[in-house]
Amino acid sequence: MSADLPAVDLASASPFVAATAFEVGEVSGTRVTGTVQVGPEQHTPWGVVHGGLYCAVIESAASIGASVAVADGGQFAVGVNNNTDFIRSMTEGRLQVVAEPVQQGRTQQLWQVLLTRADDGKLVARGQVRLQNVRRPGA
């Protein structure tokens, strides 16, 4: 990534983002991949991973890709809507994350993000995030 873009690794993340345990892999303006290790530290009182974790990872993956897509124009992207469907519950394991754009326009973008179980490829959650392209301060 260019020097104009902030780091997206866990060591550079805010405490909130770091708590998601989203390890970013491939990053481009048309694809973001990564993994998330889930377990008891992310559980609801009922012993399954909290849906908010899925929402946060989906928002992060879409925001990273959408921001990379508009970085050369002095912009970044912020989520304005996040619709996440929870397909099946998990208690522990590794999730694969894949985010790709559905539409990329001058002012807004729409990204789809899939979270699948690493061990069998079954869909756990899917999200669609609409993002607004905004001018970076000073750009």
Side-chain angles (χ1 to χ4, degrees), residues 36-65:
V36 178
Q37 184 68 39
V38 297
E41 61 278 0
Q42 297 128 335
H43 281 183
T44 68
W46 297 273
V48 296
V49 175
H50 195 290
L53 173 80
Y54 302 141
C55 292
V57 170
I58 286 168
E59 181 88 18
S60 292
S63 295
I64 291 166

Side-chain angles (χ1 to χ4, degrees), residues 1-2 5-27 32-35 60 64:
M1 292 194 312
S2 98
L5 298 171
V8 294
D9 60 291
L10 285 176
S12 303
S14 70
F16 175 82
V17 173
T20 69
F22 177 35
E23 294 274 357
V24 178
E26 175 187 346
V27 175
V32 173
T33 66
T35 60
S60 292
I64 291 166

Side-chain angles (χ1 to χ4, degrees), residues 87-108:
I87 310 302
R88 58 179 42 87
S89 63
M90 280 188 71
T91 55
E92 63 183 356
R94 183 169 294 284
L95 290 169
Q96 298 287 349
V97 179
V98 176
E100 295 177 323
V102 174
Q103 182 270 335
Q104 293 179 295
R106 184 178 54 80
T107 60
Q108 289 193 342

